[in-house]
Amino acid sequence: MAVSQYQHAEKYESNEVDLYHKKILKEPQHLAFFSPTMAEYLKKEIPGKKILDIGCGPGHWSYKAAEHGAKSVDGFDIQEEMVELAKKANSKFNMVKIQVGDVMCMPYDDNVFDVAFSFYITCALRPEACIKHFEELYRVLAPGGKALVVAHSRPAFEKLFLRSGADKTAVEEKITDQLMHLKQYPSLSEINYAFQSFNEVLRAIFTLDENGYLQETREVGKLSIGQIVWVKTQITTFPDYFYDDQFIQQQSNAAGLNIDRIENYYTEERRIAYNKTNPEIKLDKDITDTPPILMYHLSKPVNNLLT
């Protein structure tokens, strides 16, 4: 991957990107699939536990953990604006503490937390930070502690997800036409403006070519670990780093964490319910067969303390 693509991505590491994090909680797919999964987990795993919310953003899941009886909740985010939002959102809970922090050096002692949340964090990290994220996750978890890591799956990078009934050929022609009108190294706002008419697109992946022009990609084999990609969802387009399922599993194991299970929360039952309440943006069965996002249930071994 050309160095210029990494350098140019610096322009996108700003509060502009966090518009995505503010919007995602209202995304229909998020509400229909991820939220029900978390509702079940919160009831079962959170009461009386010490919780860590990594990259807490505006503090939604810190709030939910406190609401469900957590003994304590610590959250951190690298951006001060997010920290202030999270503090305000959780101001009524004395057991919630929010601060500025970095995943490469989490501001906590060893062996502290019973449960840690890492939602859509790995894709926002450079390779060295992503690797360190798992090492730090191991360090701060108490022996037997659990972690939920939510990350993009391989199908997210090799499929064009469309609304049910969409004309794939027509959509692809529209995408090609818009890409031709974008200048070299387009800004995030320019990309979102160009893609705002892609109502049929639920998810698509784009990269910059060697000359700085945006192009659609569905060839995972041509992507390198840590490469910057632009992800088009129902609500917005934003830059991420590419990591596949194998990388996430390798780094979890390398850090000493157990992978207890990998959950596909895009269940058929939820898809059917989603389609009934969202008839204008129905989902085909391929989203349950090849989900774009997976939830990794990790744990720290009881008798394997980090030395």
Side-chain angles (χ1 to χ4, degrees):
M1 180 180 177
V3 174
S4 61
Q5 294 185 34
Y6 277 109
Q7 293 172 335
H8 188 71
E10 297 290 346
K11 299 179 182 179
Y12 300 117
E13 294 178 2
S14 66
N15 290 334
E16 187 177 31
V17 176
D18 283 313
L19 290 174
Y20 166 70
H21 297 290
K22 294 175 185 177
K23 290 178 179 179
I24 191 171
L25 295 174
K26 298 180 181 178
E27 183 183 26
Q29 280 193 52
H30 183 90
L31 293 172
F33 296 98
F34 183 66
S35 292
T37 299
M38 281 305 298
E40 296 171 6
Y41 190 88
L42 289 165
K43 291 177 183 178
K44 180 180 178 181
E45 300 289 348
I46 300 306
K49 303 290 182 61
K50 295 180 179 179
I51 311 303
L52 174 61
D53 191 0
I54 300 170
C56 64
H60 176 81
W61 294 112
S62 293
Y63 185 97
K64 288 294 185 181
E67 192 176 48
H68 281 77
K71 180 178 181 179
S72 66
V73 181
D74 285 84
F76 73 91
D77 199 283
I78 199 167
Q79 297 201 39
E80 293 184 9
E81 181 193 51
M82 290 293 106
V83 168
E84 291 306 311
L85 288 173
K87 285 182 177 179
K88 290 178 181 178
N90 290 276
S91 60
K92 75 174 187 177
F93 295 115
N94 293 327
M95 83 288 283
V96 178
K97 298 179 181 178
I98 308 292
Q99 62 179 302
V100 174
D102 190 334
V103 296
M104 294 190 72
C105 185
M106 296 184 192
Y108 309 105
D109 293 334
D110 298 354
N111 307 311
V112 173
F113 298 102
D114 300 308
V115 178
F117 299 153
S118 176
F119 299 156
Y120 310 104
I121 301 301
T122 56
C123 59
L125 303 174
R126 297 175 182 279
E128 64 273 17
C130 188
I131 293 170
K132 189 65 176 178
H133 157 273
F134 287 102
E135 295 173 353
E136 283 290 276
L137 184 56
Y138 177 97
R139 181 183 67 81
V140 301
L141 279 176
K146 300 178 180 181
L148 289 184
V149 175
V150 176
H152 299 309
S153 69
R154 187 180 180 90
F157 300 97
E158 59 189 8
K159 293 191 65 175
L160 176 63
F161 289 90
L162 302 176
R163 293 183 182 182
S164 180
D167 186 330
K168 185 177 180 181
T169 300
V171 172
E172 290 177 332
E173 290 176 353
K174 184 188 294 186
I175 290 174
T176 300
D177 181 67
Q178 287 292 350
L179 291 176
M180 290 177 61
H181 288 86
L182 279 172
K183 64 183 184 181
Q184 283 181 297
Y185 298 111
S187 69
L188 188 56
S189 58
E190 289 169 337
I191 293 172
N192 271 297
Y193 181 80
F195 291 176
Q196 66 183 350
S197 63
F198 296 171
N199 298 321
E200 306 91 343
V201 177
L202 301 178
R203 191 176 192 88
I205 303 296
F206 301 86
T207 59
L208 289 177
D209 65 19
E210 64 274 11
N211 296 312
Y213 290 102
L214 207 65
Q215 60 183 358
E216 189 194 358
T217 182
R218 290 178 227 161
E219 298 182 69
V220 175
K222 292 185 178 181
L223 296 176
S224 56
I225 294 298
Q227 180 174 344
I228 295 167
V229 297
W230 278 259
V231 183
K232 168 71 177 74
T233 70
Q234 284 178 267
I235 55 175
T236 189
T237 303
F238 55 93
D240 266 347
Y241 291 95
F242 166 71
Y243 302 109
D244 61 13
D245 309 11
Q246 184 179 13
F247 180 83
I248 298 296
Q249 294 175 49
Q250 287 175 341
Q251 297 311 316
S252 298
N253 288 327
L257 294 163
N258 293 329
I259 302 174
D260 298 328
R261 65 189 177 99
I262 301 174
E263 181 178 359
N264 169 18
Y265 53 78
Y266 284 83
T267 66
E268 182 63 8
E269 180 182 0
R270 289 174 184 166
R271 184 187 75 87
I272 292 171
Y274 172 90
N275 286 346
K276 288 180 179 178
T277 55
N278 298 273
E280 73 284 359
I281 45 174
K282 284 186 177 181
L283 302 175
D284 285 329
K285 196 175 183 300
D286 65 343
I287 203 165
T288 61
D289 296 335
T290 54
I293 300 170
L294 292 171
M295 177 180 286
Y296 295 83
H297 292 256
L298 310 179
S299 64
K300 180 173 179 175
V302 175
N303 299 314
N304 190 23
L305 297 180
L306 185 66
T307 57

